[in-house]
Amino acid sequence: MSSVAVLTQESFAEHRSGLAQQQVKVTALNSEEENDPPTYKEAFPPLPEKAPCLEAAQEPAGPWSKIRPIKASVITQVFHVPLEERKYKDMNQFGEGEQAKICLDIMQKTGAHLELSLAKDQGLSIMVSGKLEAVMKARKEIVARLQTQASATVAIPKEHHRFVIGKNGEKLQDLELKTATKIQIPRPDDPSNQIKITGTKEGIEKARHEILLISAEQDKRAVERLDVEKVYHPFIAGPYNKLVSELMQETGTRINIPPPSVNKTEIVFTGEKEQLAQAVARVKKIYEEKKKKTTTIAVEVKKSQHKYVIGPKGNSLQEILEKTGVSVEIPPTDSSSETVILRGEPEKLGQALTEVYAKVWARPPLKAPKYTSLGTDRWRGVIYVRLEEIMAIGSEFFFTVSSVSAPSWLHRFIIGKKGQNLAKITQIKDLYKVSVRIPPDNEKSNLIRIEGDPQGVQQAKKELLELASRMENERTKDLIIEQKFHRTIIGQKGERIREIREKFPEVIINFPDPAHKSDIVQLRGPKNEVEKCTKYMQKMVADLVENSFSISVPIFKQFHKNIIGKGGANIKKIREESNTKIDLPAENSNSETIVITGKRANCEAARHRILAIQKELANITEVEVSIPSKLHNSLIGAKGRFIRSIMEECGGVHIHFPTEGSGSDTVTIRGPAQDVEKAKKQLLHLAEEKQTKSYTVDLRAKPEYHKFLIGKGGGNIRKVRDNTGARIIFPTSEDKDQELITIMGTEEAVKEAQKELEALIKNLDNVVEDSMVVDPKHHRHFVIRRGQVLREIADEYGGVMVSFPRSGTQSDKVTLKGAKDCVEAAKKRIQEIIEDLEAQVTIECTIPQKFHRSIMGPKGSRIQQITRDYGVQIKFPDREENPGIPVDPAVQENGEESGEGKEGKDTDPSSPKKCDIIIISGRREKCEAAKEALQALVPVTIEVEVPFDLHRYIIGQKGSGIRKMMDEFEVNIQVPAPELQSDIITITGLATNLDRAKAGLLDRVKELQAEQEDRALRSFKLTVTVDPKYHPKIIGRKGAVITQIRTEHEVNIQFPDKDDESQAQDQITITGYEKNAEAARDAIMKIVGELEQMVSEDVTLDHRVHARIIGARGKAIRKIMDEFKVDIRFPQSGAPDPNCVTVTGLPENVEEAIDHILNLEEEYLADVVDNEAMQVYMKPSSHEESKAPSKGFVVRDAPWATVNNEKAPDMSSSEDFPSFGAQVAPKTLPWGPKR
C-alpha cells in the first residue's frame, strides 16, 4: 500500500538536509519579496537508473547517493535442479499443473516467495526470497518435492551386512543421517547381497563410499590404505574412472577412491596380497610422477559460471582431463572463492585453460593465450606461470602477476596475526580481484607473488613494500631462563605462552628442544616490542623463582589423613590461606615427607600449621640439640645414610638439621618422648666420637646376605654393635650401591666389628648343600601362594634355596643350598614351622554376623593385623543369604512352628548360627589370644542421658556436630527420633573408644547448657518510648546510627512496624544483656535529647532552582547538610506550596544553612531568568503566528505545468494527498488493475 504525506516548507527543508551536505535555506514567500523557486528536478531528484556499463556505474549518482542504505531483512537465493533430477519435466505445462501447486503450497507453508525459470540446459532455476529462516525451510521442501530421488545398489559380501547395520542399528542410522539417504539392507533370510541406496546423487556417492570402506575393513583379504593428496585423485582415477577400472581389472584388486564431495585423502585397496602390492605400487608411481611433473595456474571465474565448467554430472571436468591430462579444481559450492585451479604438466596447461574458457563462454575452443615464461616458483605447493596478459576472452580474465622481494623471516609479520595485515592488502580484492601468495618457511624464498588487475596489483605491491620497510626495524634477543621453568611458562596445553603471544603478537618466541638441555629462549620481532616482551618475561621468571622455594616437612604417616581432613578440607584450607602448593606422598608410599612449595614466608607459615596439627594429635615432643655445624655433614653422611640409620633405629623420629651455610648449631629432634631421648643420646655420642677419633671402614656383601647379617628384628647386628661399640650402616633401597656396608666409630671398635662381619660374610660365601625330612602332608603349606613361605625364608636367610619334591611323588626329602650358617638357620626355621603346623588347632569364635564388617575394618586391615601379630589364620563364614522370615515374639513364646517345617522344631535356639562362627587356626595359645583380640573388636553399646531439648544442638547444622564427634572418637552415635521425646542417646563402638566418646558428649552437653544460660541472660528486653518523628534520625542514613549502637552495645534494637496499626508506634524494643540494654537505651535517649533541642524553619526558595541546589543524585544537598549539620527537606511534587523548603537542626546551624541556600538561590535564579529570556527570543513572533496558513512549497517546471497544462495538485485535497489508512477510490489504470 502506498501513501503520500503533506509536504510543508518546514518539512521540505528538513528533508533536503538529509539529501545534501549543505543546509537548504527556505524563506517565507510573500508578494513583496520572493526568490526564484527551485525547479522540480532540483527539489525532487530522480532515482539513479541502473548503469548499462562499468563506466556508467562509476559516475556520481546525484543527491540520492548521499542517503545511507538500509540493510534489507529479506534475502534471495537461487537453487538449480538439473534436468535429469527434475520430478516434473513437461515443458508445455511449465508454470502450471502439479509443479505450480507444489510451489504455491511451499510459499504458504514457509512464507517465502518463489519464482521459477528454465535454464538453457532445461534445468529448473528457483529464486527464493524472504527471511533467512523461511528461505532455508523452502529450500528443504524444494529438494524433497521438486527433485527426483535417485537410487543405486552396492554389492558387498553378505557376512559384512551386520557391520553396516551396527549394534542395535546405530551405525546404519548414523550413516543415513550423515549422507541424507535411505539405505535398505536385505533381510538375513534373503540370499541377495545388494544394498539399495536412495537419495540425492551426492548423498548416494557418500553412502556408497562409506559402505565399501566398512566392507573393506571386514574383508578377510588384505587391506591397505594409502594416503594421497586429494588434488591427485583425478589423475589416479583417470578420465571417467577409466584408469582405476583398468588397474582393478589387471590386478584383481578393489580400489576405493573417495568421491570429490567426501573430504578424505585415503585410498583403500582390498585384494590378494601380491596383486594388492602391485596395485599400490602402480598408484604410488602415478602419484610420485604427477607430484613431480605437474604445476598449477589459478584463474578467477565467476561463481555463477562454475556449473558450466563442471558440466552435467561432472562430464566437462572429465572431458578436459581426457583431452589435456589436466585436472580442474573447482571450489566447493558453499565457499565464496571464485578461484579455479588447473593442475597438470606445464605444456598442457594452455590448452586446458582454453578448454575452461570455452566451457564458460559456451563457444568453440579458442587458441591458448601466449605465455611469457618467467620461470616457475613453488609457493605453498602451487607453481604459478607468470602471464603478461590474458585478453583473448573478455575483460574478466585480464590480470598480471608481479612479485615483491622481502626476507623470509618478515613473511610472518606481513601476514599478521590471523592474517590481519594480509586482509588489509587484499581489501582491494572486491574491486580488482587481487590475491597475494606468500611462500612457506621451509622453501626459504624471498619472493611474494601478487596477481590480479594491474591497478590493484600496483596498489598491493606499494602497501607490501611499505609494510616490509616498517618490518626492517627488527631485532633478535636471547633470554636466559632456566630450563626447569620452560614448561611452567608455556603452561598446560600452551595456555600461558598463548597469552604472552596475544599480548605481544609481533614477537616470535622460540623455546629450545627439551632434549638439548638449553636455557636460551629466543625472541624476535620489532625492537620496542622485543624489549617490552623481555621485561615482561623477566618479571614472570622472577616471580617463578620467588614462588619456587621448597621445604620438606617430615610428618608421621598415621597423621597424614588428619592433615588432609575430611574431603581434603584441612589441606585445602592451608593451601588457600598460605598460598602454597602442598604435595603429600602417595598412600601406598613409605615416604613420610610432605613437600611445601611457594614463597619462603608462606612455606614457613604452612609448615608451622602442619606441625601444629601433628602436635595436637599425638604426644609428640620436640627437642633441640646443639652440635657444631662443622660436624653436620659427617653426621648426615652420604645422601643422609648415617642420620637415616639413627632415625630408623629410634622408632622413626624426625631429625632436622639447619640449612647449610646458616651457621646454626641447633639440630631439632621430633617424635614420641621415649624415642626422642634415645635418638638424642645416640646423636650426641656420635658427635663426640666424630670430634675425638672417628674412624670409618667400608665392607662389601651381597644384598641377599644383608637380612641374615642383620638378623631377625636386628638381633645379629645388635649383638655385634654391643660387643664392639661400633655403628654399622646398611644401604637402603634408595642407595645406588646395594653392596656397601659402612662401619664407623673408634678405630679399635671398627676393626673388631670389621673382623666379626668379615667372618660372617666368609661363612656365607661358603656354599653347602644339605637336606632334611619333611612329612609330605606339610609340603603344601610351603609351596602354596606361589611359594610365599619359601620366598620369605630365602629373604631372611641369605638367599638360601629350598627345593621341595614335585607334587605326586611320595618323597619326604627337602634340599637346601646356600651358605652353611644360612642353611642351618633355614632348617631350624622350617622345623619351627612344622612344629607349629603339627601343634595347630582350630577353635571357633562366635560373634554375630552384623559385627563382622566392623571387625574386619577398612579393606580387612584389622583382621590382617591380628593375623600378622598372632601368626594364625582366620576364616569368616559366608553371609546368610536368607536370614529367615521374622517371627512374631508371641508365636515363639507359645512354641508354635515358625514356618520352616520340621527343621524348625529340631533347631536348638540356644545354639549359635553357622553364619556367626569365625574359625581360627594356629597354635592353641596364639588362637586364644587372637580370639580375645577379635572379641575386643566387637562394638559395644552404652546409653547416655542427655536432655531432649539439647539434641538438635548436638546434631548440629545438617548433622555436622554429631559427625564431628563420631569422626573424632571413632564411634557411632544414635540420637532418638524427635517424636519419641526420649533423653537417651546410644553410643556404639570399641570398648576402648566408648569412655572417651561419653566424656566428649557430656562435655558438649555442659557447653550447651552454659550457652542456654547465657542465651537466657541475653534475652532481657527493655522498651523505650520515643516520638516516631525522631525514629529516622535514630536509624540514620542507611541504618548507620542504629547499626553503630547495636554493634557497640551488642544488643538487638527493634523499631515498630509502620503498617501495623495495633502496635504502638512510639515503642522501641531493646534485647540483650541487661547492662548492655540499659547502655543502649541511654545512647538512644541522648540522641533524642539532642533532637529535641533542634528547631525547624521553613524558607521560601524558587522551585526553579531546587534541582540545581539538590545536584546530581543529591550530592550537592548532602554536602550542604554535612557541612552545616542540618536536615533539609524539599517539597514533593504536587505539594500546595512548591517553594517551601524545611531546614532542621540546631538554631545556629539552621540560620547559617538558610543564608547559604538563599545565596545559592540568588546565583542560580539569575541563570534561570537569562535562559527564559533567550527562549522568548527563539519563539516565533506573534504576528508571524497570526499569518494565514502557508501556501505550501512552490517549484518550477513541474510535470503538471508542462504537460497538457494540468494544474498543480491541491494539497488540501484528500484525493490528491490521502491521509494514512484512509479509504480512497481506486483510479482506473490503462493496463488494468494492479495485482
Side-chain angles (χ1 to χ4, degrees), residues 727-886:
R727 173 169 289 280
I728 302 160
I729 300 165
F730 285 85
T732 61
S733 56
E734 287 86 13
D735 292 329
K736 286 184 180 177
D737 193 345
Q738 289 291 306
E739 294 187 354
L740 188 68
I741 301 170
T742 305
I743 310 170
M744 59 183 296
T746 61
E747 186 175 356
E748 185 184 349
V750 167
K751 285 184 177 179
E752 193 177 339
Q754 181 184 3
K755 188 178 177 182
E756 284 194 30
L757 282 175
E758 282 176 345
L760 285 170
I761 293 166
K762 190 175 181 182
N763 287 338
L764 291 173
D765 286 335
N766 180 22
V767 178
V768 296
E769 189 171 326
D770 200 353
S771 63
M772 65 182 295
V773 174
V774 177
D775 194 322
K777 69 181 181 183
H778 300 310
H779 288 191
R780 187 173 180 276
H781 175 78
F782 290 94
V783 298
I784 58 170
R785 296 193 298 278
R786 297 182 182 178
Q788 185 180 342
V789 177
L790 295 179
R791 280 201 306 275
E792 289 172 359
I793 292 170
D795 289 344
E796 196 171 341
Y797 299 104
V800 66
M801 291 174 61
V802 184
S803 301
F804 276 77
R806 292 195 178 191
S807 60
T809 60
Q810 292 302 313
S811 173
D812 57 2
K813 186 181 178 183
V814 175
T815 307
L816 296 90
K817 187 177 181 181
K820 188 176 180 181
D821 292 346
C822 292
V823 168
E824 289 300 324
K827 281 172 71 176
K828 188 178 178 183
R829 176 64 186 136
I830 290 170
Q831 200 61 47
E832 285 175 3
I833 292 170
I834 291 167
E835 286 175 9
D836 284 346
L837 290 172
E838 287 177 346
Q840 195 174 59
V841 295
T842 300
I843 66 170
E844 294 180 352
C845 177
T846 304
I847 295 173
Q849 190 184 41
K850 64 181 180 180
F851 299 128
H852 288 188
R853 182 170 289 180
S854 66
I855 289 170
M856 289 178 183
K859 297 180 182 178
S861 57
R862 289 175 179 170
I863 215 67
Q864 289 167 11
Q865 186 65 41
I866 293 172
T867 304
R868 282 195 298 271
D869 291 348
Y870 298 103
V872 295
Q873 290 183 347
I874 302 171
K875 187 177 185 299
F876 279 79
D878 294 333
R879 291 186 67 81
E880 190 177 13
E881 291 182 5
N882 298 313
I885 302 164

Side-chain angles (χ1 to χ4, degrees), residues 308 354-367 391-394:
Y308 302 119
T354 304
E355 290 288 340
V356 169
Y357 293 153
K359 301 294 179 190
V360 170
W361 294 96
R363 56 175 71 174
L366 302 172
K367 291 183 181 179
M391 300 183 64
I393 309 168

Side-chain angles (χ1 to χ4, degrees), residues 324-341:
T324 64
V326 173
S327 167
V328 181
E329 297 164 19
I330 307 289
T333 52
D334 56 355
S335 167
S336 60
S337 172
E338 295 186 342
T339 304
V340 175
I341 295 173

